[in-house]
């Protein structure tokens, strides 16, 4: 499944439905966020249709970031059937992210 860009307006429809969604809160000026982007591309290819990966630019969508207490970026929050179930902050390896997903 392709990675989708999510805004404050589309957050509910894209993330808070059924299924598993990994949300990346990021910004274009963030070095670790840039390093995480290709890892998320690889992860998306590995998990296929089982997990949706969504990206939220915190500069353009401060409401979503504030709502989920995002203080540092990158922050990744795993949603299961619309509810946040896990959170990691900072640059993570693909293996760490796979483990995060498989825990839930």
């Amino acid at each position: 499944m392709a990675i989708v860009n999510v805004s404050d307006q589309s957050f509910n429809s894209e993330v808070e439905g059924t299924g598993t969604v990994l949300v990346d809160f990021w910004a274009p000026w963030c070095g670790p966020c840039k390093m995480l982007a290709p890892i998320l591309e690889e992860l998306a290819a590995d998990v296929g249709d089982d997990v949706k990966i969504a990206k939220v630019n915190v500069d353009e969508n401060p409401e979503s970031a504030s709502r989920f207490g995002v203080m540092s970026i990158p922050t990744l929050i795993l949603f299961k059937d619309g509810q946040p179930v896990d959170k990691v902050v900072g640059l993570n390896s693909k293996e760490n992210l796979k483990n995060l997903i498989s825990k839930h």
Side-chain angles (χ1 to χ4, degrees), residues 25-52:
F25 291 89
W26 71 287
W29 47 264
C30 164
C33 298
K34 290 179 186 175
M35 293 172 14
L36 184 61
I39 294 169
L40 291 176
E41 292 285 345
E42 288 179 28
L43 183 65
D46 287 357
V47 296
D49 292 335
D50 296 336
V51 179
K52 180 192 285 188

Side-chain angles (χ1 to χ4, degrees), residues 1-89:
M1 181 177 284
I3 295 175
V4 295
N5 288 307
V6 177
S7 66
D8 285 340
Q9 293 72 30
S10 67
F11 194 91
N12 287 349
S13 63
E14 290 286 350
V15 175
E16 296 184 314
T18 57
T20 304
V21 185
L22 182 64
V23 181
D24 173 25
F25 291 89
W26 71 287
W29 47 264
C30 164
C33 298
K34 290 179 186 175
M35 293 172 14
L36 184 61
I39 294 169
L40 291 176
E41 292 285 345
E42 288 179 28
L43 183 65
D46 287 357
V47 296
D49 292 335
D50 296 336
V51 179
K52 180 192 285 188
I53 298 176
K55 294 178 71 78
V56 177
N57 181 329
V58 297
D59 289 343
E60 296 173 356
N61 303 286
E63 189 180 299
S64 296
S66 173
R67 184 172 157 206
F68 294 102
V70 174
M71 301 303 240
S72 301
I73 53 173
T75 291
L76 294 112
I77 300 177
L78 185 68
F79 288 80
K80 189 86 171 187
D81 296 326
Q83 298 300 312
V85 294
D86 217 334
K87 176 194 239 181
V88 292
V89 179

Side-chain angles (χ1 to χ4, degrees), residues 81-99:
D81 296 326
Q83 298 300 312
V85 294
D86 217 334
K87 176 194 239 181
V88 292
V89 179
L91 183 61
N92 277 268
S93 70
K94 183 171 76 167
E95 284 308 308
N96 283 351
L97 296 175
K98 277 183 156 180
N99 291 337

